Amino acid sequence: MFNQSVHESRSSSRDRTDDRESTTAVRLEDVTHRYGSSGGRFRSSDERTVTALRDVSFDVPTGTIVGLEGPSGSGKSTILHAVAGLLVPTEGSVRLRDTDLAALSDGERTRMRRRHIGIVFQRFHLLPSLSARANVALPLVQAGVPRSDRRERATDLLEAVGLGDRTAHLPGELSGGERQRVAIARALSTDPDVIVADEPTGELDTATGGDVLELLTDIGRDRAVLVASHDAATLSVADRVITLRDGRVDDDR
Ligand code: ADP
């Protein structure tokens, strides 16, 4: 249904074909995370400490969609936050390509996230006062891309997600599915290697969710995608599904 696929919309200036071959984009090794343990040190006396992840290890190769499933509280969001560099796990390592996120300063980690990670949330998180195009261009402002290039890239991406005729609309003037497509275009604006998505179809009806899943599938052709969901249709687009239970990997298939 989309005019131009998001796969084709990848910047042609960088030919990734060679380094795309069997590259591990994301690697988690023995990741344990405890919330409420100050400075990363576990105080067993602290009753508010929650062990959200225990010895979680898996890879997400480029060109692969990995689904994360598990009951509420099983650790899905904590994994997405760790991969996005929004939190540093108490133990273990999260690597983006060859970079251990824990070895970076906060500023370096933020730059790494802005450059290499696209994030898609269940509730879109668009700025209501900005047009669809300005929302998509926002990460490019932070990346220092010149205005005319931002405009062109944002327009191209909105066309790729089937919203070429909605570039000037505000989020409040768009349907839920259209908003999520704007959010996906925004996540792709910096041409990231990795996309993390938290219940991307959670707010959408089945048909609209299907459009979003079609987009995710397209994105997963040349990026690493990690998608957390309870929804069987969403998990069905994953090449592999990891089941979490109480912060541990219960199944990996
Ligand atoms: P899921 O995404 O699968 O619902 P989460 O990763 O959000 O699971 O949560 C895993 C565990 O960590 C849960 O027990 C939850 O209560 C706890 N948790 C999540 N965020 C925090 C936080 N900021 N502070 C303390 N505990 C948290």
Side-chain angles (χ1 to χ4, degrees):
M1 68 167 285
F2 306 115
N3 312 339
Q4 172 206 20
S5 79
V6 288
H7 174 68
E8 286 163 14
S9 81
R10 276 211 98 165
S11 62
S12 52
S13 55
R14 274 178 295 154
D15 182 358
R16 301 177 181 233
T17 310
D18 294 337
D19 65 2
R20 207 183 295 150
E21 302 287 332
S22 67
T23 309
T24 296
V26 179
R27 169 163 290 171
L28 282 82
E29 267 179 327
D30 299 326
V31 172
T32 291
H33 189 65
R34 300 181 190 97
Y35 288 105
S37 54
S38 59
R41 250 175 264 136
F42 183 40
R43 291 170 300 158
S44 54
S45 57
D46 189 345
E47 289 176 0
R48 287 170 55 215
T49 301
V50 173
T51 304
L53 298 176
R54 301 163 202 259
D55 290 324
V56 172
S57 302
F58 64 88
D59 292 347
V60 189
T62 300
T64 307
I65 302 178
V66 171
L68 283 178
E69 68 168 359
S72 182
S74 57
K76 303 181 296 296
S77 302
T78 305
I79 288 180
L80 296 186
H81 281 80
V83 169
L86 292 164
L87 65 79
V88 176
T90 324
E91 292 169 29
S93 71
V94 178
R95 289 177 178 274
L96 292 187
R97 301 225 169 192
D98 293 327
T99 306
D100 182 353
L101 293 182
L104 303 178
S105 67
D106 290 350
E108 288 167 337
R109 209 162 27 249
T110 300
R111 280 192 288 283
M112 186 88 181
R113 177 170 60 252
R114 288 184 178 160
R115 176 68 196 81
H116 293 286
I117 308 267
I119 306 179
V120 178
F121 301 95
Q122 179 173 358
R123 293 201 172 82
F124 326 130
H125 290 211
L126 299 174
L127 292 183
S129 60
L130 295 184
S131 68
R133 180 163 47 210
N135 266 287
V136 174
L138 207 52
L140 301 174
V141 177
Q142 291 165 334
V145 173
R147 178 188 286 265
S148 60
D149 293 350
R150 295 198 304 256
R151 206 179 151 84
E152 189 182 334
R153 173 98 181 128
T155 305
D156 285 351
L157 279 164
L158 284 168
E159 277 171 13
V161 300
L163 293 176
D165 56 349
R166 295 284 192 280
T167 57
H169 283 58
L170 298 173
E173 297 165 342
L174 299 171
S175 71
E178 289 169 342
R179 283 181 220 177
Q180 192 57 304
R181 276 145 63 193
V182 174
I184 289 173
R186 178 185 56 189
L188 294 172
S189 63
T190 57
D191 200 10
D193 303 312
V194 178
I195 294 284
V196 300
D198 200 355
E199 292 285 6
T201 59
E203 298 278 305
L204 308 177
D205 62 52
T206 310
T208 321
D211 291 345
V212 166
L213 293 180
E214 195 184 316
L215 266 177
L216 266 192
T217 308
D218 201 13
I219 291 165
R221 286 165 62 191
D222 56 3
R223 292 177 173 83
V225 177
L226 189 55
V227 55
S229 185
H230 288 102
D231 173 48
T234 303
L235 294 168
S236 74
V237 304
D239 301 291
R240 207 168 112 216
V241 176
I242 292 172
T243 307
L244 295 168
R245 194 163 301 277
D246 296 332
R248 289 186 197 280
V249 175
D250 193 42
D251 197 8
D252 187 345
R253 61 184 191 279

